[in-house]
Amino acid sequence: MKILMVCLGNICRSPLAHGVLEHMVKERKLNWEIDSAGTGNWHIGEQPDRRSIAVAKKYGVDISNQSCRQFQTDDFENFDHILVMDQNNLSDVISLAQRDADFGKVRLFLKNGIVPDPYHDDKQFDPVYHMIEKRCLELIEELDTNR
Ligand code: 4NP
């Protein structure tokens, strides 16, 4: 199972979803590969935002060794599920899809609604973390066929 988390910058939301799900998968010894990417190119090569690193650390997840990268068309082939944080990410990723199979891999990370961009509001990092953590637990229940 290969899952790619996507947001705009790949420094706030998708690194959290990547790190939290990867942490849960390791705890459960699942043979899943988790990664993240941004639709934008501003932060390529950078660490996640310090506020995402801090909130993850507060709850026992280390995301400090992640490095920002941009979403690329190869990702459609390399991943089984491409989970995006909001409608803009959805349309940006879908605009790069070419084959029928590509479209079927992309959907919103949350079942109902979007993960809001916390970049301009320090107070949003904690609620965003919890939103992501809850959904990652659900994703394991949904996608772990050995349960
Ligand atoms: P993210 O947040 O998409 O959750 O990583 C953002 C981070 C940076 C920018 C936009 C969104 N930016 O414009 O630099």
Side-chain angles (χ1 to χ4, degrees), residues 7-15 42-43 117-119:
C7 64
L8 175 60
N10 190 214
I11 56 168
C12 297
R13 293 165 292 176
S14 61
W42 311 284
H43 301 283
D117 188 348
Y119 189 61

Side-chain angles (χ1 to χ4, degrees), residues 7-26:
C7 64
L8 175 60
N10 190 214
I11 56 168
C12 297
R13 293 165 292 176
S14 61
L16 284 174
H18 170 180
V20 168
L21 187 59
E22 191 170 65
H23 183 83
M24 290 176 179
V25 155
K26 277 189 187 148

Side-chain angles (χ1 to χ4, degrees), residues 109-126:
F109 169 77
L110 291 186
K111 274 195 290 202
N112 296 305
I114 61 149
V115 180
D117 188 348
Y119 189 61
H120 296 290
D121 184 355
D122 294 353
K123 289 194 292 295
Q124 288 306 310
F125 281 80
D126 220 274

Side-chain angles (χ1 to χ4, degrees), residues 68-85:
C68 172
R69 74 169 179 89
Q70 191 170 22
F71 182 83
Q72 50 184 36
T73 49
D74 282 359
D75 288 322
F76 287 114
E77 269 188 61
N78 294 336
F79 290 90
D80 304 304
H81 299 279
I82 297 169
L83 305 179
V84 305
M85 298 296 142

